[in-house]
């Protein structure tokens, strides 16, 4: 076993307080030899009620893990599709507190499907990291993906979140070399999110033959599942990428349907096709 992998196991053990919904879900998927399908939607897009309806329907559509976006005015890592979704949500009055209330409403019907909040640190900083962690845990969140908090800032949110029993998922990219990878993995928990292409969300298309070597490299350095996102737009793409990893993440192509005024039923039918592709890998 590599020193990096051993160090990651030790660090995780020192911080771990409990088994999370993410841990339980990935264990169940592994036992059934299925890959994870992770779906992203923006909270409050195009309005609170429509967004909540889609959110509640995701598990029955085959979604294993939900990423719920926190709308923000300056999402520098997101392409036009998710930028516009955030603008629609903010225009409709969506806030971080309303996003947490969506999670509470979801938990009234589903206490098993993991929900990870994904976004930027500014809205969290505005209410205070400690207050945010406490409210997120109370609402039923399982972890965070905060794209603009690097490992060097782990004391800000990552470590307090893990100590509270929540997962902190880190992004690795094609430019994360072997020197940087140990830093990325050090306090990561739940799973590693591998960004399959450089650039913003919604740009380009992921290719299994290009993704596979980096996924293998990351898996050699950590016991955590590795899920691949960015550039996955069809059921066939979900199937081919899932064959190289522990799961796939789809966001922009789902969000674009809400931007095109598709009904929740139409959106969830499309999600079900994507999920079937991932699960057939």
């Amino acid at each position: 076993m590599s020193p990096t992998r051993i160090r990651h196991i030790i660090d995780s053990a020192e911080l771990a307080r409990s088994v999370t919904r993410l841990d339980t879900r990935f264990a169940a998927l592994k036992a059934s030899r299925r890959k994870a399908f992770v779906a992203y939607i923006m909270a409050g897009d195009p309005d609170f009620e429509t967004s909540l309806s889609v959110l509640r329907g995701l598990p029955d559509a085959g979604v294993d893990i939900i990423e719920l976006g926190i709308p923000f005015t300056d999402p520098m890592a997101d392409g036009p599709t998710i930028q516009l979704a955030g603008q629609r949500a903010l225009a409709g009055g969506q806030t971080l507190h309303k996003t947490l209330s969506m999670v509470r409403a979801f938990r009234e019907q589903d206490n098993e499907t993991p929900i990870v909040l994904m976004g930027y640190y500014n809205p969290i900083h505005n209410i205070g990291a400690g207050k945010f962690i406490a409210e997120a845990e109370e609402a039923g969140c399982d972890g965070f993906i905060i794209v603009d908090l690097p490992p060097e800032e782990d004391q800000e949110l990552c470590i307090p979140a893990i100590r509270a029993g929540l997962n902190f998922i880190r992004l690795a990219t094609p430019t994360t070399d072997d020197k940087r990878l140990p830093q990325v993995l050090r306090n990561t928990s739940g799973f590693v999110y591998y960004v399959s292409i450089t650039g913003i969300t919604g740009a380009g298309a992921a290719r299994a033959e290009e993704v596979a070597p980096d996924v293998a490299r990351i898996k050699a350095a950590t016991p955590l599942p590795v899920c691949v996102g960015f550039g996955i737009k069809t059921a066939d793409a979900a199937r081919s990428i899932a064959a190289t990893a522990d799961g796939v993440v789809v966001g922009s192509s789902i969000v674009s349907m809400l931007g095109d005024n598709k009904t929740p039923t139409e959106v969830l039918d499309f999600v079900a096709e994507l999920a079937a592709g991932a699960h057939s890998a």
Side-chain angles (χ1 to χ4, degrees):
M1 185 178 293
S2 70
T4 298
R5 188 180 179 92
I6 293 171
R7 183 68 251 169
H8 175 81
I9 293 171
I10 292 172
D11 288 344
S12 298
E14 289 173 349
L15 290 173
R17 292 293 183 91
S18 60
V19 175
T20 67
R21 288 190 186 93
L22 280 168
D23 298 330
T24 300
R25 180 53 53 94
F26 276 111
L29 288 164
K30 184 176 181 179
S32 63
R33 296 184 179 180
R34 288 183 13 141
K35 302 302 179 72
F37 179 68
V38 186
Y40 170 97
I41 63 169
M42 177 68 72
D45 175 38
D47 55 69
F48 185 92
E49 292 302 326
T50 301
S51 184
L52 180 58
S53 177
V54 173
L55 178 67
R56 284 174 162 165
L58 291 175
D60 284 343
V63 174
D64 299 299
I65 298 163
I66 297 168
E67 288 182 8
L68 186 61
I70 303 170
F72 178 51
T73 54
D74 188 24
M76 74 283 289
D78 292 312
T81 297
I82 293 180
Q83 285 186 28
L84 289 171
Q87 291 172 14
R88 291 190 296 268
L90 292 170
Q94 189 71 13
T95 64
L96 180 52
H97 290 293
K98 285 187 176 181
T99 299
L100 294 176
S101 72
M102 286 182 64
V103 178
R104 291 188 189 94
F106 178 87
R107 288 290 176 224
E108 293 173 0
Q109 300 179 0
D110 187 316
N111 198 41
E112 296 182 356
T113 305
I115 295 182
V116 175
L117 296 182
M118 184 172 186
Y120 299 83
Y121 188 55
N122 183 270
I124 297 167
H125 177 74
N126 285 341
I127 68 170
K131 183 178 180 181
F132 168 71
I133 289 169
E135 292 185 6
E137 182 184 14
E138 179 273 328
C141 298
D142 299 291
F144 312 129
I145 302 172
I146 308 301
V147 299
D148 56 346
L149 270 184
E152 290 75 13
E153 304 296 331
D154 275 358
Q155 293 291 341
E156 190 77 17
L157 183 66
C158 172
I159 291 175
I162 295 173
R163 286 177 174 158
L166 300 171
N167 291 121
F168 200 91
I169 295 95
R170 190 82 69 191
L171 303 176
T173 74
T175 60
T176 305
D177 60 21
D178 289 340
K179 182 178 179 180
R180 180 63 174 170
L181 185 59
Q183 289 291 104
V184 170
L185 296 176
R186 185 179 57 197
N187 292 316
T188 299
S189 63
F191 66 95
V192 180
Y193 187 146
Y194 178 67
V195 176
S196 63
I197 54 178
T198 56
I200 55 177
T201 59
R207 299 181 183 276
E209 64 274 16
E210 296 174 357
V211 167
D214 274 332
V215 170
R217 180 170 61 91
I218 295 167
K219 288 180 70 64
T222 177
L224 292 173
V226 178
C227 294
V228 176
F230 284 46
I232 302 169
K233 303 175 183 179
T234 66
D236 286 343
R239 182 182 303 108
S240 65
I241 296 296
T244 72
D246 298 299
V248 298
V249 186
V250 180
S252 293
S253 60
I254 298 171
V255 171
S256 68
M257 295 194 71
L258 290 162
D260 291 338
N261 296 314
K262 301 296 183 182
T263 66
T265 298
E266 291 173 311
V267 173
L268 292 169
D269 284 346
F270 175 61
V271 170
E273 293 177 9
L274 295 167
H279 291 153
S280 66

